[in-house]
Amino acid sequence: MKKSCLIVTLLLCLTILPGCVEKKVIDDVNIATGIGIDKSEKQFLGSIMIPVFKPDKSFGNFTFKAKGKVIRDLVSEMQKKASQPIVSGSLDIALFGEDVAREGLINTLDVFLRDPSVGARVQLAVVNGKAIDIFKGKYGDRGNAQYLTQLLEHNMEQQNLPLTNLHRFLAAFYQKGMDPYLPMLKKSSRNLVTISGLALFKDEKLVDILHENKMYYFKLLVDHHTLGVVKVKEAHGESTVKSIGLKKNIRLKGRNPYTFSIKIKLKGDLTEHQERILEKGEIREIENKLAQQISKECKMLIEEFQRKNIDPVGFGHFAKTRTRNFDYKKWNEEYKNAKFEVSADVKLIGHGVVE
Amino acid sequence: MIKKNFPNGANMANLFKSVKRLLKRKFTLDEQKDHQSGPEKREHRKDQAEDWEKELTKSKDYQKSYYFNQKSGKKFTLTYLSTLVEEKVMDNNAVPPLLEGEFHHIDDVKKLLPLADVELSSSFKDIPEKLLKGSVMLTLEGDKVFAFISSPKQIVRSVSAPEIEFSVVGPKEAFVEPIDQNINMIRKRLPLKELIIEQFIVGKLSLTKVCVLYIEGVTNKEIINTVKQRISDLDKDEIADSSYFTQMISDNGNSPFPQLLDTERPDRVSSSLVEGKVVILVDGSPHALIGPTSLTEFFNSFEDYFLNWILATFIRLIRLFSVIFSIMVTPLYVAVVTYHYQMIPKDLLITLVTSRRVVPFPPILEVLFLEVTIELLREAGARLPTKVGQTIGIVGGIVLGTASVEAGLTSNVLLILIALAALASFTTPVYQMSNTIRILRFPFLIMAELWGLVGITIAFCFLLTHLLRLTSLGLPFMEPIFPLRLRDFKDALFRLPFKSQAKRPQYLRTDDPIRFSKKKANKKKDIDE
């Protein structure tokens, strides 16, 4: 009796429950790899990029476009045009037009947040111009979305772009005393896209754009580890330094006004020097010069943030973790008057043979 | 062909019973009494004497020859089954002395014959049994007692190299069909008085000799008793091979997993005996059964012990990986392609999509089509003689594979995966287990089709529960993984050096857990020390 009950239950499970799962066979769906949101008058203009797999194993790109006031509505509008369902589980990158970003991203991101198939490591970026223009080009031979994500990822890993993705953006957004930032993309030619800077947000709205020259110093401030290249100029000429190790120490020194001390300890390689031969003591000189340069630039950056009342480094959050009965309301005022001491120590551990 | 010869040590009661049934005779107790009773019932006895001949005379190998002794002039007959008796011995050693010697009385046979095994008897019930064991019956005119001269024909196959458990290094002998020859091979490897060989007769009609081997003072008595009891409880008419035993005396007969290890290598058997295991030999089967076993043992080839422990461990881990790969790869393909497109790396996506696009079937049908094709090829290859089998491999592998991809029936990515899975399943050293692995992937496939990765997980849970519940002769099958016995890992998934194998496996609970002194093994005596 018991056994037959078990068998009946199993059979029921086997026959009835498979209907509960939705099948998405890979060649029967349109796999959305990139999504772009722009503003068109008062509506959103959405574009979804689908890679087209050609029989000779090369990629093509196809973009669905639709207008609408709600993002979900855009998607269903696009489904009407698609022969196979558009699925978003493999989304690589989401691009936002600058005008959309200035009005706030969180409504759009909420759609991603509520879709469990969208990963947390989706790359987000703001486009200098229209997102749809970027989708129009053809970049690389692995499809546009792959090209754009790889462009961002390798710059984050090895160059001056600070690490961002959907998860980091939302974490910074929901964290009080911290503001998110995103990379800024610009279409430079028909088949090239460049990183033109960093979009700095106040809560969900874009308020300032950091020039790409300053990204190195910004990355020093916000990231734990950094591999980036910086240019130094001293009496003997210009040289480039690739940082290979970073130790950063932020301390809260006083609370009235809030005083932060930021110590940056950098290890780097001298990758290039204008003159072929270094003179005696020149290494020390480059080190000192770079240290000065870093502390000066970082201080300027922070002061700029204070003026714009944005806090991408998260000083507010940092102060809160070290202060009893911390009050965010007061903090907004206190942030403007906060003092920052930035000191840097640079050590060049490699020169001569580099990389 | 090989004929079984029944030696004298057979269980008489059993034999008699069976023969009685075979001949459809009705020996009652009364009749048996008649054997011993006086001459007044001679009439009855004569009936019986003719009776035992009734069936045998129908057989073509039944021989009855009449002779005259030259000295006494007495007539005597020799009755035997020509297929069971060594006729050369009869002609050269038995008949001449009987013809020429002083043969007056039946008792003279013992003096006349140089053959050792001569037995006198007056009971009719012995006759068919003795004849069927390869004895020659000698009756002398006017004598009630008759003699049995045992000269069974020994048809022996020469010992050949192991075919299923072939090893490049190590001994190249495999078991053959006659049980005595097999025992001889084991005895030679273990000249031990403690090596006990207990015999049972199983099968009402086949009267198959079954031997249980163990080393007294090493093997746990409980295990021995379990085996002995299970064998003596068996009730079957015929035993054709030792694999019958795997099915009949294993703990769970409904499991696809074999719970007794079968091997054709005498070296493997003797080392299992030394470890404290029980070995079952069946007459007429070139495979010995070893028990109790654990799952990991089925993935150990005996060649592992002939290699350095680092190599052996590496090869064992490769086997383990290939088993998991072989079971899991096609279900994973089905699950991922049907449900979890998110999991596929972007660079792989194009390869998968372009190869899948031309295929008109859903992934599950595509996979089943290829899996069944592979199974067909295997089965066809196994049924055909070796030379034709190779052709099948070429036809199947090359022609069918490429043609089905070109025709757009299957995707070439899947073809590679299926071929790899088939290849991986061949690494299992024990044939019975590789069959199990063949079949295991089908439930996984179905579950993958129904619920994707969730389904695979459920199927895996079922498999794991089943394995955990399995026992081999009452001992856990999943040992040393569960129950976790870290010490037994020395010879399970890994094969550690011999110096760390100083103790017998814990789970066997041997009477003597120590194999050799570890200290002495570690000591390396050099000539200059």
Side-chain angles (χ1 to χ4, degrees):
Chain A
M1 187 62 206
K2 237 182 187 178
K3 222 171 197 176
S4 61
C5 267
L6 190 77
I7 289 168
V8 168
T9 331
L10 272 177
L11 273 179
L12 276 179
C13 286
L14 283 175
T15 46
I16 295 170
L17 284 180
C20 300
V21 241
E22 200 183 335
K23 267 184 195 168
K24 287 164 185 164
V25 182
I26 48 162
D27 51 332
D28 297 336
V29 287
N30 279 318
I31 298 167
T33 49
I35 184 165
I37 311 283
D38 288 305
K39 210 74 198 172
S40 149
E41 284 145 31
K42 294 223 157 170
Q43 282 182 317
F44 284 122
L45 170 67
S47 43
I48 282 184
M49 191 163 51
I50 312 277
V52 179
F53 304 108
K54 291 177 184 162
D56 61 341
K57 303 219 164 146
S58 69
F59 278 92
N61 301 292
F62 186 79
T63 314
F64 287 105
K65 275 172 273 182
K67 277 184 188 178
K69 282 197 170 156
V70 192
I71 303 290
R72 290 262 175 223
D73 184 42
L74 286 180
V75 178
S76 57
E77 199 67 33
M78 283 180 220
Q79 300 280 25
K80 281 182 201 162
K81 299 176 191 166
S83 68
Q84 288 168 332
I86 300 171
V87 290
S88 55
S90 269
L91 200 64
D92 273 337
I93 190 162
L95 300 179
F96 301 94
E98 200 182 322
D99 38 3
V100 180
R102 286 203 186 272
E103 281 179 23
L105 287 183
I106 211 66
N107 272 340
T108 324
L109 289 181
D110 195 62
V111 177
F112 298 152
L113 201 59
R114 285 172 201 280
D115 185 351
S117 69
V118 174
R121 296 205 302 192
V122 172
Q123 291 293 348
L124 307 179
V126 178
V127 178
N128 191 347
K130 294 254 178 216
I132 197 159
D133 293 335
I134 290 214
F135 286 162
K136 271 178 191 157
K138 185 180 185 324
Y139 320 107
D141 51 2
R142 292 179 173 191
N144 284 355
Q146 186 85 338
Y147 172 87
L148 292 171
T149 16
Q150 284 179 345
L151 168 79
L152 290 174
E153 272 167 6
H154 101 88
N155 273 294
M156 283 169 193
E157 275 164 27
Q158 288 164 7
Q159 301 298 323
N160 297 346
L161 193 66
L163 184 65
T164 57
N165 54 33
L166 178 63
H167 174 82
R168 300 264 303 204
F169 183 90
L170 289 171
F173 171 75
Y174 285 113
Q175 180 65 57
K176 278 183 183 174
M178 208 177 204
D179 288 314
Y181 46 88
L182 285 181
M184 191 95 188
L185 292 179
K186 191 182 172 190
K187 189 171 181 177
S188 60
S189 76
R190 217 166 57 84
N191 45 20
L192 273 184
V193 175
T194 53
I195 298 165
S196 64
L198 268 181
L200 302 175
F201 288 75
K202 174 71 194 169
D203 292 332
E204 55 159 339
K205 286 178 181 151
L206 188 149
V207 289
D208 194 16
I209 293 164
L210 189 77
H211 192 263
E212 55 177 319
N213 292 347
K214 310 276 181 195
M215 268 183 351
Y216 178 78
Y217 308 103
F218 187 81
K219 193 171 182 177
L220 284 184
L221 284 173
V222 296
D223 269 9
H224 289 294
H225 178 72
T226 175
L227 275 175
V229 184
V230 70
K231 203 163 65 180
V232 202
K233 196 173 179 184
E234 35 90 47
H236 300 278
E238 281 191 9
S239 41
T240 54
V241 171
K242 183 173 189 179
S243 53
I244 52 172
L246 170 72
K247 265 187 189 165
K248 191 175 55 186
N249 193 4
I250 304 182
R251 289 179 64 196
L252 186 61
K253 286 181 96 181
R255 293 195 177 80
N256 196 18
Y258 277 94
T259 314
F260 295 88
S261 108
I262 301 150
K263 278 184 184 154
I264 294 168
K265 254 188 169 176
L266 193 74
K267 280 181 184 168
D269 278 343
L270 184 70
T271 47
E272 201 186 337
H273 185 55
Q274 206 170 7
E275 304 291 322
R276 220 180 72 80
I277 295 166
L278 285 169
E279 275 169 41
K280 202 180 178 188
E282 208 183 331
I283 288 285
R284 295 290 318 155
E285 236 171 277
I286 297 172
E287 283 177 353
N288 289 337
K289 188 82 188 170
L290 185 58
Q292 276 173 29
Q293 197 176 315
I294 287 172
S295 52
K296 193 182 121 206
E297 291 283 347
C298 286
K299 200 161 162 64
M300 270 168 63
L301 269 182
I302 295 166
E303 278 161 4
E304 176 80 14
F305 297 155
Q306 278 179 299
R307 270 199 297 284
K308 296 257 158 63
N309 199 18
I310 53 175
D311 189 2
V313 189
F315 287 113
H317 171 61
F318 183 79
K320 186 240 158 190
T321 59
R322 274 144 182 84
T323 312
R324 208 176 276 262
N325 301 327
F326 185 79
D327 189 356
Y328 278 117
K329 279 173 198 158
K330 280 187 199 161
W331 166 252
N332 280 341
E333 279 310 303
E334 281 164 341
Y335 181 51
K336 283 174 191 162
N337 307 322
K339 292 213 157 31
F340 295 91
E341 295 163 7
V342 186
S343 64
D345 178 24
V346 178
K347 199 156 189 187
L348 293 180
I349 54 173
H351 49 86
V353 178
V354 287
E355 310 245 353
Chain B
M1 288 310 291
I2 291 130
K3 269 267 146 35
K4 274 173 235 150
N5 303 305
F6 302 119
N8 304 328
N11 186 325
M12 294 291 196
N14 253 350
L15 251 176
F16 175 62
K17 236 185 187 172
S18 320
V19 172
K20 191 175 83 177
R21 201 173 284 185
L22 175 70
L23 302 178
K24 289 186 182 159
R25 267 282 189 72
K26 281 174 190 165
F27 280 104
T28 58
L29 273 174
D30 290 354
E31 281 171 331
Q32 281 183 27
K33 257 181 214 163
D34 292 347
H35 289 271
Q36 293 112 32
S37 61
E40 65 267 24
K41 295 215 171 172
R42 194 160 283 176
E43 278 302 308
H44 202 114
R45 219 173 127 171
K46 208 171 182 188
D47 280 355
Q48 277 184 8
E50 279 152 15
D51 255 18
W52 67 260
E53 266 188 314
K54 211 172 82 188
E55 277 97 352
L56 284 174
T57 44
K58 288 181 190 163
S59 301
K60 71 122 196 165
D61 56 350
Y62 178 77
Q63 298 279 339
K64 196 167 189 176
S65 8
Y66 300 90
Y67 300 90
F68 287 99
N69 182 267
Q70 289 162 3
K71 294 263 166 72
S72 64
K74 278 206 170 186
K75 198 170 101 180
F76 64 93
T77 51
L78 291 176
T79 318
Y80 57 93
L81 294 170
S82 62
T83 47
L84 294 177
V85 169
E86 197 68 73
E87 279 173 289
K88 247 187 216 161
V89 179
M90 287 308 299
D91 292 345
N92 297 341
N93 303 347
V95 179
L98 288 176
L99 288 175
E100 292 151 17
E102 297 274 345
F103 196 18
H104 298 290
H105 196 256
I106 193 82
D107 294 339
D108 297 336
V109 178
K110 286 202 172 179
K111 284 179 228 160
L112 285 170
L113 291 186
L115 298 159
D117 201 351
V118 177
E119 216 179 296
L120 295 181
S121 169
S122 62
S123 130
F124 280 99
K125 66 176 180 179
D126 288 351
I127 298 173
E129 173 202 321
K130 290 272 185 191
L131 289 182
L132 284 167
K133 264 196 247 161
S135 289
V136 179
M137 185 173 82
L138 171 68
T139 49
L140 193 67
E141 191 185 23
D143 225 316
K144 288 163 224 153
V145 183
F146 26 85
F148 292 109
I149 308 157
S150 172
S151 98
K153 196 181 250 180
Q154 300 281 3
I155 298 178
V156 179
R157 178 159 73 102
S158 63
V159 175
S160 58
E163 276 173 24
I164 304 162
E165 290 170 89
F166 179 77
S167 72
V168 181
V169 280
K172 299 270 187 303
E173 59 172 4
F175 283 131
V176 287
E177 282 78 10
I179 194 167
D180 293 331
Q181 212 177 339
N182 293 344
I183 292 174
N184 172 288
M185 280 189 255
I186 299 169
R187 279 267 198 218
K188 268 185 197 157
R189 283 174 184 276
L190 293 173
L192 261 186
K193 66 177 178 0
E194 287 86 357
L195 176 62
I196 311 291
I197 298 169
E198 283 191 42
Q199 185 176 283
F200 297 82
I201 302 289
V202 185
K204 272 177 231 149
L205 297 185
S206 69
L207 301 175
T208 312
K209 281 195 286 176
V210 176
C211 286
V212 175
L213 283 74
Y214 56 89
I215 299 179
E216 199 158 65
V218 173
T219 313
N220 187 313
K221 300 224 166 39
E222 214 171 300
I223 300 172
I224 302 167
N225 290 339
T226 314
V227 175
K228 284 202 277 192
Q229 198 200 333
R230 283 190 193 168
I231 291 178
S232 46
D233 284 353
L234 273 183
D235 190 24
K236 198 166 188 308
D237 52 350
E238 189 222 6
I239 302 287
D241 186 53
S242 65
S243 50
Y244 279 40
F245 274 84
T246 335
Q247 295 163 54
M248 290 191 302
I249 72 164
S250 58
D251 302 33
N252 184 350
N254 296 326
S255 168
F257 287 90
Q259 292 140 58
L260 291 172
L261 186 75
D262 69 308
T263 180
E264 53 170 359
R265 298 187 66 105
D267 44 355
R268 189 168 197 167
V269 163
S270 59
S271 94
S272 300
L273 284 169
V274 169
E275 256 188 347
K277 288 179 179 167
V278 177
V279 170
I280 302 166
L281 284 174
V282 177
D283 196 16
S285 164
H287 285 259
L289 296 177
I290 302 171
T293 52
S294 60
L295 182 67
T296 51
E297 214 169 329
F298 284 91
F299 304 110
N300 299 351
S301 151
F302 199 69
E303 200 181 6
D304 296 351
Y305 298 96
F306 307 143
L307 300 173
N308 174 292
W309 70 274
I310 301 170
L311 301 175
T313 304
F314 170 69
I315 293 169
R316 276 190 185 181
L317 291 178
I318 281 194
R319 272 193 219 119
L320 190 79
F321 164 78
S322 63
V323 167
I324 296 169
F325 179 84
S326 163
I327 297 176
M328 288 297 181
V329 70
T330 42
L332 277 178
Y333 174 86
V334 171
V336 168
V337 167
T338 326
Y339 293 102
H340 311 288
Y341 64 92
Q342 301 99 324
M343 282 179 64
I344 308 168
K346 293 282 148 28
D347 292 337
L348 192 62
L349 203 60
I350 187 158
T351 326
L352 277 178
V353 173
T354 44
S355 75
R356 270 280 305 152
R357 174 156 297 155
V358 282
V359 182
F361 308 119
I364 180 72
L365 283 185
E366 185 194 8
V367 169
L368 280 180
F369 172 71
L370 269 185
E371 287 279 12
V372 169
T373 312
I374 288 264
E375 293 306 315
L376 278 179
L377 280 175
R378 266 196 191 184
E379 201 50 35
R383 298 290 149 255
L384 281 169
T386 337
K387 279 179 187 161
V388 193
Q390 286 170 354
T391 333
I392 284 287
I394 295 163
V395 171
I398 300 166
V399 179
L400 270 183
T402 45
S404 64
V405 169
E406 273 171 23
L409 288 178
T410 53
S411 64
N412 41 19
V413 176
L414 179 67
L415 196 70
I416 296 167
L417 292 180
I418 295 256
L420 273 179
L423 200 65
S425 73
F426 289 133
T427 60
T428 316
V430 183
Y431 180 70
Q432 305 253 17
M433 189 48 100
S434 72
N435 282 342
T436 308
I437 286 160
R438 269 164 78 174
I439 204 160
L440 267 188
R441 66 174 75 119
F442 286 97
F444 273 92
L445 269 179
I446 292 163
M447 293 301 267
E449 159 66 11
L450 294 182
W451 290 299
L453 284 182
V454 181
I456 292 182
T457 317
I458 294 170
F460 191 75
C461 289
F462 271 95
L463 176 68
L464 205 63
T465 335
H466 176 70
L467 282 174
L468 288 172
R469 279 164 51 108
L470 271 189
T471 50
S472 166
L473 301 178
L475 296 178
F477 193 57
M478 279 292 268
E479 206 273 349
I481 299 158
F482 186 86
L484 185 68
R485 297 225 172 85
L486 289 177
R487 255 179 46 201
D488 282 0
F489 270 100
K490 66 183 189 304
D491 190 16
L493 297 179
F494 314 110
R495 211 281 285 170
L496 297 187
F498 286 127
K499 64 180 179 192
S500 59
Q501 311 268 13
K503 283 183 180 164
R504 299 205 157 85
Q506 262 179 313
Y507 79 111
L508 292 174
R509 303 204 180 277
T510 45
D511 292 349
D512 179 14
I514 290 163
R515 299 178 78 161
F516 52 83
S517 153
K518 201 178 173 182
K519 264 187 191 166
K520 264 189 194 168
N522 280 343
K523 214 180 272 175
K524 280 179 188 160
K525 276 179 195 157
D526 261 352
I527 208 149
D528 43 273
E529 252 174 44

